[in-house]
Amino acid sequence: MNTITAAITAVGGYVPDFVLSNQVLESMVDTNDEWITSRTGIKERRVLKGEGLGTSYLAIKAAENLFSRKNINPAEIDMVIVATTTPDMPVASTAVYVASQIGAVNAFAYDLQAACSGFLYGMSTAAAYIQSGRYKKVLLIGADKMSSIIDYTDRATCIIFGDGAGAVLFEPNQEGLGLQDEYLRSDGIGREFLKIDAGGSILPASKETVENRQHYVFQDGKTVFKYAVSGMADVSEKIMQRNGLSKDDVDFLVAHQANKRIIDATASRMGVDEAKVLVNIHRYGNTTSGTLPLLLSDFEDKFKKGDNLIFAAFGGGFTWGSIYLKWAY
């Protein structure tokens, strides 16, 4: 009896039309293009404009793009996972609404929150459902409207984040392709260094929390950078060692797009050539849960069946990890 593995069989992506360039940011806060580019690698990011449009809009568009690329019937999908740190609203699940709107009428759905590692954790979750044998088609979407929680008077954070979404379909595979191994980590020490103070059960929303601008992202940039560099590099190196992969065996590094210097440090530790490192941070900034699937969407035509992909991410909490996947088409 062949072992079932979980393979990605389709991808899709979506970014909003509005481009927030470094030049525009120069007119909003005390910063400049050279400073942003040299420290982050970001040139522009996308922002979702329009009344009543939230993360679900991005997720729906990414799913529809996936369906159109592979001519997939949404009614055949068994479950929908939306990895997001910016849900449409508290309590009511964004994924449930997305599933209904895209016509996944036979699916159950839920949200998954692990900050910038959300999509990576979602890959593990989706693959486990497939490998259980109980589900055949799991749609995993990473989507975030980061502009909804960014303070555009704070130059430390407003230069980094953008809006976007990507989607992948996981299906059973009996050729040994798909997800091969994972090494996922977390550490609550990160809680104080990357967070939103208000709006949760500890500090509910009030007139004071709004006036104190406590509903926006706070980031201790130097501390997060230090942990991210060591964390992403460590897990990527470990997953290679555990699976006997040399630098030549790795076809592509699919790394979270938070900072170009973090991506470069991870690639350097792995010994992977620059040509194998997928990068679109200069175009989109950090779209949080959207970065990994947007890379797959943008670079889909580069992948060949059997290619070895190493995924790596680091996010608030702290959350981080690496996944080794063999491309299936």
Side-chain angles (χ1 to χ4, degrees), residues 6-10 66 76-81 107-108 110 122-123 125-132 134-141 167-172:
I8 292 174
T9 58
L66 181 149
E76 295 177 358
I77 292 170
D78 298 314
M79 65 177 299
V80 177
I81 302 170
F108 74 100
Y110 61 85
M123 289 176 68
T125 306
Y129 277 110
I130 293 293
Q131 289 163 353
S132 75
R134 287 198 291 269
Y135 304 94
K136 302 297 185 201
K137 285 179 165 49
V138 177
L139 181 66
L140 171 63
I141 305 170
V168 302
L169 184 66
F170 274 95
E171 293 187 87

Side-chain angles (χ1 to χ4, degrees), residues 77-264:
I77 292 170
D78 298 314
M79 65 177 299
V80 177
I81 302 170
V82 174
T84 185
T85 201
T86 55
D88 282 1
M89 57 184 73
V91 184
S93 166
T94 301
V96 170
Y97 177 73
V98 169
S100 296
Q101 292 299 112
I102 62 177
V105 293
N106 296 306
F108 74 100
Y110 61 85
D111 295 356
L112 188 156
Q113 207 283 73
C116 293
S117 302
F119 187 83
L120 191 81
Y121 282 22
M123 289 176 68
S124 170
T125 306
Y129 277 110
I130 293 293
Q131 289 163 353
S132 75
R134 287 198 291 269
Y135 304 94
K136 302 297 185 201
K137 285 179 165 49
V138 177
L139 181 66
L140 171 63
I141 305 170
D144 271 303
K145 185 185 176 183
M146 292 305 293
S147 62
S148 66
I149 56 171
I150 295 301
D151 180 354
Y152 284 96
T153 67
D154 175 19
R155 68 175 182 173
T157 55
C158 74
I159 65 169
I160 298 168
F161 295 97
D163 302 341
V168 302
L169 184 66
F170 274 95
E171 293 187 87
N173 184 279
Q174 294 190 321
E175 300 176 90
L177 302 171
L179 198 145
Q180 305 293 305
D181 195 13
E182 61 182 50
Y183 186 62
L184 307 179
R185 314 299 299 153
S186 63
D187 188 342
I189 194 173
R191 185 171 163 125
E192 292 305 307
F193 303 119
L194 180 51
K195 61 179 178 176
I196 294 176
D197 277 322
S201 59
I202 293 176
L203 188 61
S206 67
K207 182 171 178 284
E208 287 74 24
T209 63
V210 173
E211 288 174 348
N212 294 333
R213 308 181 79 79
Q214 289 175 281
H215 294 269
Y216 293 119
V217 168
F218 162 80
Q219 176 171 276
D220 178 342
K222 286 183 179 177
T223 303
V224 173
F225 180 85
K226 180 183 74 174
Y227 275 98
V229 167
S230 61
M232 268 177 58
D234 286 348
V235 291
S236 302
E237 184 179 44
K238 180 159 186 112
I239 205 114
M240 287 175 66
Q241 290 172 348
R242 207 156 77 174
N243 291 277
L245 298 172
S246 73
K247 63 180 182 178
D248 298 323
D249 296 322
V250 176
D251 293 294
F252 294 102
L253 169 62
V254 189
H256 173 54
Q257 307 287 292
N259 185 300
K260 182 64 162 58
R261 291 187 292 169
I262 298 172
I263 300 167
D264 290 343

Side-chain angles (χ1 to χ4, degrees), residues 25-63:
L25 279 174
E26 286 177 7
S27 68
M28 297 166 62
V29 290
D30 181 18
T31 191
N32 62 71
D33 174 65
E34 192 279 328
W35 192 92
I36 297 170
T37 305
S38 64
R39 283 161 179 78
T40 68
I42 301 167
K43 283 289 187 184
E44 57 189 41
R45 61 294 289 144
R46 302 299 182 95
V47 174
L48 179 61
K49 301 278 191 177
E51 192 174 344
L53 300 182
T55 293
S56 61
Y57 180 85
L58 301 168
I60 290 163
K61 288 289 190 182

